Amino acid sequence: MTFRSESSSVPSTVLNDGQTIPSLGFGVFLVEEGDTFGAVTTALETGYRHIDTAAIYGNEAEVGRAIREFGVARDEVYVTTKLWNSEQGYDSTLRAFDASLERLGLDRLDLYLIHWPVAQADRFVDTFRAFQKLKAEGRVTSIGVSNFNRDHLERLIAETGETPALNQIELSPNLVQAELRAFHTEHGIATEAWSPLGRGAALTDPTIAAIAAETGRTPAQVIIRWHLQLGNVVIPKSVTPSRIRENFDVFSFELTDEQVRAITALDSGTRVGPDPAEFTAGLI
Ligand code: NDP
């Protein structure tokens, strides 16, 4: 049983394994255990059917509880979680997957991602081999990565013979990632944007404000629409009910090509998160 795209009002992105992922999801990084249940419930009430969590966020259990108590059928909600850096390696990955699934209270995951390459540990190839086993067993439907640069992707594909379905990377009007997105397109890897609003920083840009005024939309809606029109899967986070709803109300307007180009031109290469080539948190 896999996610049924026809049951969601959100457009889907088709992955290279033939599965589909809702193009707009709800991210829960930095949502405290205690706040996550309410935020995910509001998201589900609003119509989101795609939740993005991670083992390191400490809120998988509440994500799972919110989905269960909301009562949505398992095949109508798409759940992503991520393997933390300290668990990389074949056997440790299998154990970490079991633990994540148990915390989520699910018997199958839609998408499992290697959270960071941590190439210094040299374990991401073995980790992905464990992902392949989990996929072959039907315990996870799609497998992918996060924060992988081109060289990491090239090595993973060469050594495992499998192209990840998706790479979740930092991507916002401040960090447009043109080269990596082009590599993804060339290899059939879906691009998913984390910190899509630049963790709030992109919302005050004057160009975004001008386009918001032109379209009668909010800055967040303009940025989310820009992601969707670029072909990104996008997972904005908010704990504020009105913003959770605002960020979902992006399917009744379109940006012109000129507006998309003006936003893309804001690229300053500025990250809000760490550089994937250097990030080694959790390395033992
Ligand atoms: P976002 O770019 O989604 O920005 C979130 C911030 O913007 C919050 O402060 C939120 O405030 C605010 N905000 C949201 N909507 C609005 C709005 N409509 N108007 C004004 N302010 C708004 O940043 P995140 O870093 O949370 O990224 C999104 C998701 O990406 C994460 O939750 C996580 O799932 C994923 N992620 C993945 C990473 C990875 O390494 N793979 C790393 C980081 C994130 P408030 O909540 O107070 O409403």
Side-chain angles (χ1 to χ4, degrees):
M1 185 176 52
T2 56
F3 175 74
R4 290 191 297 127
S5 55
E6 67 274 16
S7 61
S8 170
S9 60
V10 171
S12 289
T13 299
V14 180
L15 303 175
N16 63 18
D17 57 11
Q19 303 292 336
T20 53
I21 180 172
S23 306
L24 174 65
F26 183 67
V28 295
F29 178 45
L30 298 180
V31 182
E32 302 287 332
E33 186 83 11
D35 294 338
T36 307
F37 179 82
V40 173
T41 300
T42 303
L44 292 168
E45 283 166 357
T46 303
Y48 293 80
R49 289 293 179 269
H50 166 184
I51 312 294
D52 182 88
T53 184
I56 195 68
Y57 300 170
N59 54 22
E60 289 173 311
E62 269 195 59
V63 167
R65 189 165 66 83
I67 291 171
R68 271 193 310 285
E69 292 194 17
F70 185 73
V72 66
R74 175 66 191 94
D75 62 348
E76 291 184 15
V77 62
Y78 193 97
V79 181
T80 302
T81 195
K82 313 183 194 88
L83 175 95
W84 185 235
N85 301 346
S86 55
E87 309 302 324
Q88 282 205 28
Y90 192 86
D91 293 331
S92 44
T93 293
L94 298 178
R95 283 194 298 272
F97 178 82
D98 286 345
S100 273
L101 221 54
E102 192 172 328
R103 284 190 293 268
L104 284 161
L106 300 177
D107 58 6
R108 175 190 64 80
L109 186 69
D110 294 281
L111 177 64
Y112 202 29
L113 303 179
I114 302 179
H115 205 144
W116 293 86
V118 208
Q120 296 81 349
D122 198 18
R123 289 200 286 261
F124 68 69
V125 172
D126 280 348
T127 301
F128 203 64
R129 290 204 174 103
F131 277 33
Q132 290 177 296
K133 174 182 160 71
L134 293 165
K135 187 174 121 180
E137 292 172 350
R139 302 189 68 211
V140 57
T141 304
S142 296
I143 54 176
V145 296
S146 177
N147 298 303
F148 273 45
N149 289 338
R150 180 188 174 134
D151 56 328
H152 305 129
L153 290 168
E154 284 174 334
R155 180 169 168 215
L156 193 72
I157 296 166
E159 295 193 23
T160 67
E162 179 155 356
T163 302
L166 173 151
N167 188 13
Q168 184 183 113
I169 55 173
E170 184 180 345
L171 204 173
S172 74
N174 304 323
L175 186 72
V176 167
Q177 299 266 27
E179 283 179 23
L180 195 48
R181 281 191 295 116
F183 182 85
H184 289 170
T185 304
E186 200 183 313
H187 288 80
I189 301 168
T191 299
E192 184 169 41
W194 67 252
S195 291
L197 308 174
R199 210 162 281 161
L203 295 169
T204 52
D205 181 276
T207 300
I208 304 281
I211 296 173
E214 280 164 30
T215 54
R217 294 288 169 159
T218 68
Q221 289 171 329
V222 165
I223 295 173
I224 293 165
R225 193 64 224 176
W226 170 79
H227 281 286
L228 294 169
Q229 290 184 221
L230 283 190
N232 301 334
V233 179
V234 57
I235 47 170
K237 168 263 176 187
S238 177
V239 292
T240 313
S242 59
R243 290 173 173 174
I244 294 173
R245 290 190 282 272
E246 173 187 329
N247 296 349
F248 191 77
D249 182 15
V250 290
F251 299 108
S252 58
F253 77 108
E254 263 188 54
L255 301 174
T256 63
D257 292 347
E258 194 185 336
Q259 288 167 334
V260 169
R261 275 197 297 276
I263 299 171
T264 305
L266 296 175
D267 186 21
S268 60
T270 313
R271 293 183 183 276
V272 296
D275 180 342
E278 287 163 16
F279 188 64
T280 57
L283 244 196
I284 309 156

